[in-house]
Amino acid sequence: MRRITPLPQSEVDKAERKVDNILEELEEETHTEVQDIDLEDVVETDPATGQPGVHKTVDITVQPRPQRKWLK
């Protein structure tokens, strides 16, 4: 069994800022709003060995921003 050691809070804060910047860039470039983020396990075949392996993937759900047109 693999033991997971907790990260120092400063490392967690740094990682959260990186994720926040990536999501903000995604929203700006696609004119959408992030609705949900999921971390999922995916089983894929390792091309080098041909053996199955479990990998983590991130699934991000976005929704288009409403287009607002103001009356003149």
Side-chain angles (χ1 to χ4, degrees), residues 26-27 30 32-36 60-64:
L26 172 67
E27 287 182 335
T30 61
T32 59
E33 293 179 0
V34 174
Q35 296 297 307
D36 189 33
I60 301 173
T61 304
V62 296
Q63 181 175 352

Side-chain angles (χ1 to χ4, degrees), residues 44-53 55:
E44 295 178 329
T45 302
D46 184 340
T49 64
Q51 299 295 316
H55 303 278

Side-chain angles (χ1 to χ4, degrees), residues 11-55:
E11 291 295 317
V12 173
D13 292 342
K14 184 178 174 182
E16 286 177 344
R17 283 192 300 276
K18 285 182 180 180
V19 170
D20 182 54
N21 290 337
I22 291 169
L23 294 176
E24 185 175 336
E25 186 177 319
L26 172 67
E27 287 182 335
E28 286 178 13
E29 289 183 6
T30 61
H31 305 292
T32 59
E33 293 179 0
V34 174
Q35 296 297 307
D36 189 33
I37 304 170
D38 292 314
L39 183 62
E40 300 175 348
D41 292 330
V42 175
V43 177
E44 295 178 329
T45 302
D46 184 340
T49 64
Q51 299 295 316
V54 178
H55 303 278

